[in-house]
Amino acid sequence: MRPNGRHTAGVSQLSALRAWAMGLLLLSAVAISPTTATAVPSQAAVATTHVYLLRGVLNIFSLGLDTIGARLQAQGIPVTVANFVSWSSLADEAATAYKAGRLKTIVLVGHSSGATALPDMIAKLNRLGVPVKLAIGLDSVFKTKLSTGAERYINIYIGDGPGEPVKRADGFRGKLDNVDVRGSGVGHISIDKNEAIQRRVIAEIDAAIMRSRAPAPVAEPGAPRSARSAAATAPRN
C-alpha cells in the first residue's frame, strides 16, 4: 500500500516544527542562562571599565561585534572594536591604563580568529600584572588552551561546526564555561550577529561590571613567593 501523501506531508511538517522549537529553546537557554541580570551597572563602575572586541579574519565577518559595541556604548561602557591582529598592542594599551589607575575592569570578547587570540591576550596581560575580569569567545576556529587566567572565560561554540571547546592547560586559574549551541540554527558567520547570543554577551558583561571591586593583582612569573601567595589567597568576587 502506498503511503498517504497528505499524512507524509503532515509528518514532515511536524518534524520541521519540532526542530524549529528545539532550536528556539537552545537559543533561549543561551540568552537567559546562567546570567539573568538586567540591571545596568553604575556609572562609577562603568567609568573604570573597558571592553575590547576582537573581529576575525579580513575584518568583515564579525560585524556583530560592532552591534554589541554600540549597545554597550549606549550604556556608557567604553569599548574598542578592532581586528584580532591588534591583540598585542591592545594589551599594552590596557596595561598602561590599568597601571595608571584609569582602568580596573577589563573585558575581552572575540569572534572566530578573534576568539582564538583571546588566550594570548590574556596571557600577555597576566605577564604585565593585569587581571582580566571576563573573556567571551564566539566560535574559536582553532584548538584553544587557557594556560593563564581570566576570572571567568565563556566559550560559546558550535560543536558540529568549525568551533572548538576551550581546554584547560597547566597553570590555568579562573572559571571556564564551554557552551555548545549546536542545533540552534546559528552558524559560524552568524553567531556574533544572533540576537539571543548578543543579549547573553551583554548580560554577562553587565553582570561582571556589577560584581567588580578592585581586582587582586596577578603575580608575574618570578615574583617573590609572598607576592604570589597574596594573589592566590585574595578573595574572589
Side-chain angles (χ1 to χ4, degrees), residues 211-235:
R211 290 195 306 267
S212 291
R213 296 192 291 271
V218 177
E220 299 181 41
R225 181 178 299 272
S226 59
R228 292 200 299 270
S229 176
T233 58

Side-chain angles (χ1 to χ4, degrees), residues 138-168:
L138 301 177
D139 218 33
S140 175
V141 291
F142 298 105
K143 294 185 184 301
T144 305
K145 287 187 177 181
L146 282 173
S147 58
T148 52
E151 183 175 309
R152 188 177 183 202
Y153 193 109
I154 304 171
N155 175 49
I156 302 175
Y157 72 105
I158 306 166
D160 55 357
E164 294 276 353
V166 171
K167 307 292 186 182
R168 298 171 183 267

Side-chain angles (χ1 to χ4, degrees), residues 10-231:
V11 171
S12 177
Q13 290 175 352
L14 182 60
S15 298
L17 284 171
R18 285 175 176 167
W20 178 84
M22 286 297 294
L24 185 61
L25 284 171
L26 280 168
L27 283 176
S28 297
V30 169
I32 65 174
S33 177
T35 297
T36 56
T38 57
V40 176
S42 70
Q43 288 304 305
V46 163
T48 54
T49 295
H50 202 102
V51 180
Y52 295 90
L53 300 114
L54 303 183
R55 298 194 195 109
V57 172
L58 300 180
N59 223 28
I60 59 174
F61 297 118
S62 305
L63 298 183
L65 296 185
D66 293 61
T67 304
I68 293 171
R71 291 181 173 186
L72 293 171
Q73 284 180 318
Q75 296 181 21
I77 300 172
V79 305
T80 296
V81 185
N83 188 256
F84 77 99
V85 297
S86 302
W87 68 264
S88 184
S89 61
L90 292 176
D92 289 332
E93 175 187 299
T96 298
Y98 178 83
K99 292 177 179 179
R102 299 190 302 272
L103 192 55
K104 291 183 180 178
T105 303
I106 297 172
V107 177
L108 312 178
V109 181
H111 169 237
S112 190
S113 294
T116 304
L118 293 183
D120 290 330
M121 189 169 178
I122 293 168
K124 180 169 185 178
L125 285 166
N126 286 178
R127 287 195 300 272
L128 294 172
V130 180
V132 176
K133 187 72 174 179
L134 172 68
I136 303 176
L138 301 177
D139 218 33
S140 175
V141 291
F142 298 105
K143 294 185 184 301
T144 305
K145 287 187 177 181
L146 282 173
S147 58
T148 52
E151 183 175 309
R152 188 177 183 202
Y153 193 109
I154 304 171
N155 175 49
I156 302 175
Y157 72 105
I158 306 166
D160 55 357
E164 294 276 353
V166 171
K167 307 292 186 182
R168 298 171 183 267
D170 292 342
F172 173 75
R173 294 182 289 111
K175 182 179 180 182
L176 170 62
D177 293 321
N178 280 299
V179 182
D180 187 350
V181 295
R182 77 179 77 191
S184 63
V186 298
H188 180 71
I189 301 300
S190 64
I191 189 170
D192 61 306
K193 303 168 186 68
N194 180 270
E195 178 66 24
I197 299 289
Q198 290 191 355
R199 287 201 306 269
R200 168 72 185 265
V201 170
I202 292 169
E204 293 287 2
I205 292 171
D206 286 344
I209 296 171
M210 292 174 70
R211 290 195 306 267
S212 291
R213 296 192 291 271
V218 177
E220 299 181 41
R225 181 178 299 272
S226 59
R228 292 200 299 270
S229 176

